[in-house]
Amino acid sequence: MAENQTEQDPKGKVEAARKAFEHEFERFAAFASSGPAVPGLKLEQAEAEQRVLAELRTRHLGKKSALAASKKAIGAVAPDGRAAFGQLVQQTEAEITQKIGRAEETLKSAIQSARTERERIDVTLPGRRPRRGHLHPITIVRQRIEDIFVGLGYAIEDGREVETDFYNFEALNIPETHPARGTQDTFYTTEGFALRSQTSTVQIHAMQRRGAPLRMIAPGRVFRRDTPDPTHNPMFFQVEGLCVDRGISMAHLKGTVAEFLRRMFGPGTTTRFRPSYFPFTEPSAEFDFSCFKCGGTGCRICKSSGWIELGGSGMVHPNVLRAAGVDPEVYSGFAFGLGIDRMCALMYGLDDIRLLFENDVRFLEQFD
Ligand code: FA5
């Protein structure tokens, strides 16, 4: 009955539209009356409220709103009440428009200041510097070795990591049945190809390419089927040295190695040679140097012996010179090879060479 009355009564319709608006607008009342900022209102919240308010505006002031219908109905009202009715509609519309407008303004400025706050940057703060990397300790040691030998007139050769049986064994005087193959057992890729087990392979490549006379060092990665322990890795670094010329003798080998170690570990360093065996050198010797830590009196690093073992050496076997196309009747040469990883461990006091390949930044950072 009441509904029917409202339907009949244009004024009642306007009143009902206002009430419906007031009811829905309640949640925005605070925005309509507060200042430009709403304390505690988060950006996402304010944006959601803005969307709801836009819908509310369409519902109450849009073309299909009850108020729009009342506007259309003005003409149908009896002339004596038309002006008053028209005024009522206009007033109601103005009130609603004003309230929504104020709430919109408040939300807009709340959104703006929340955005500014979020994007605020302090331009006076110092920028973040990218962290600079540094060389790996093995690279540091390798470069020192290279510098010393370049100073002694040696060229630096780059070898191959995957080798044929010929370069890794045959040409180095290690035939297929030789027991030395067992001590340097390596990883085979396919028939006839292996990961090199020593940098001595570069001796052959260098002599074939450059001929004699020749002075070179060849640092690089080598591989062996060794079980990892504090002094062994299946992949490690060696540096090879080779000097071939007329009249080269064991004295040149000893002088060169002694000078290298003095430059590497200090002028007081002494060197000793012990007889040894390598299939590709004759005679062969292993060389040690006086402990750089205790000077020879004995300490933890040299295991109380006063000496540190470093590598193998000898006079290049005539068979090796021949295999590489150098006439052993005219030329002779010396060669040596040492392990960079163990040298690096000695220099930095590491008790396990495996640390060098774990890529733990906390460890590597110490060598900056
Ligand atoms: C050789 O490899 C010979 N080619 C050296 C040589 C060159 C002799 C020229 C004569 C003339 P040896 O197998 O001893 O030699 O290895 C040389 C060095 O490599 C060792 O002194 C040691 O420092 C290092 N080394 C050997 N095996 C490993 C391993 N598994 N892990 C880390 N370092 C190793």
Side-chain angles (χ1 to χ4, degrees), residues 135-142 144-145 237 264-265 289 292 301 308-310 338-353 355-357 363-364 367:
L135 296 176
H136 190 281
I138 288 190
T139 309
I140 297 172
V141 175
R142 195 201 75 215
R144 272 188 67 182
I145 298 172
F237 286 84
M264 192 81 188
F265 294 107
F289 67 105
F292 61 89
I301 290 203
I308 294 173
E309 289 181 20
L310 201 58
L338 49 93
I340 302 183
D341 310 45
R342 287 194 198 164
M343 198 167 186
C344 182
L346 283 170
M347 289 179 63
Y348 290 116
L350 314 176
D351 45 22
D352 194 327
I353 63 165
L355 289 167
L356 293 165
F357 296 104
F363 167 75
L364 293 172
F367 304 94

Side-chain angles (χ1 to χ4, degrees), residues 188-300:
Y188 292 86
T189 54
T190 44
E191 185 88 26
F193 288 97
L195 299 184
R196 68 176 173 188
S197 58
Q198 50 188 345
T199 44
S200 300
T201 51
V202 191
Q203 287 186 31
I204 312 298
H205 287 293
M207 283 190 278
Q208 282 181 336
R209 204 168 45 242
R210 295 165 174 253
L214 163 79
R215 261 183 291 183
M216 69 94 193
I217 60 158
R221 231 182 274 264
V222 300
F223 309 84
R224 287 185 197 176
R225 274 183 50 185
D226 283 349
T227 309
D229 69 22
T231 54
H232 290 84
N233 253 332
M235 191 280 291
F236 59 100
F237 286 84
Q238 285 190 337
V239 59
E240 191 79 8
L242 174 68
C243 173
V244 180
D245 208 337
R246 290 168 201 265
I248 293 292
S249 73
M250 198 80 181
H252 294 111
L253 166 64
K254 292 179 80 171
T256 305
V257 170
E259 181 57 20
F260 159 62
L261 292 172
R262 274 195 296 271
R263 292 193 190 187
M264 192 81 188
F265 294 107
T269 310
T270 50
T271 315
R272 77 173 180 188
F273 285 76
R274 287 174 288 111
S276 185
Y277 171 76
F278 294 100
F280 33 89
T281 45
E282 181 59 37
S284 304
E286 278 179 75
F287 53 92
D288 310 333
F289 67 105
S290 54
C291 179
F292 61 89
K293 196 80 180 172
C294 63
T297 53
C299 70
R300 195 180 68 87

Side-chain angles (χ1 to χ4, degrees), residues 119-136:
E119 287 158 16
R120 192 174 59 168
I121 43 164
D122 183 349
V123 290
T124 63
L125 278 177
R128 276 193 210 122
R129 283 177 202 283
R131 279 179 64 190
R132 273 186 66 186
H134 58 83
L135 296 176
H136 190 281

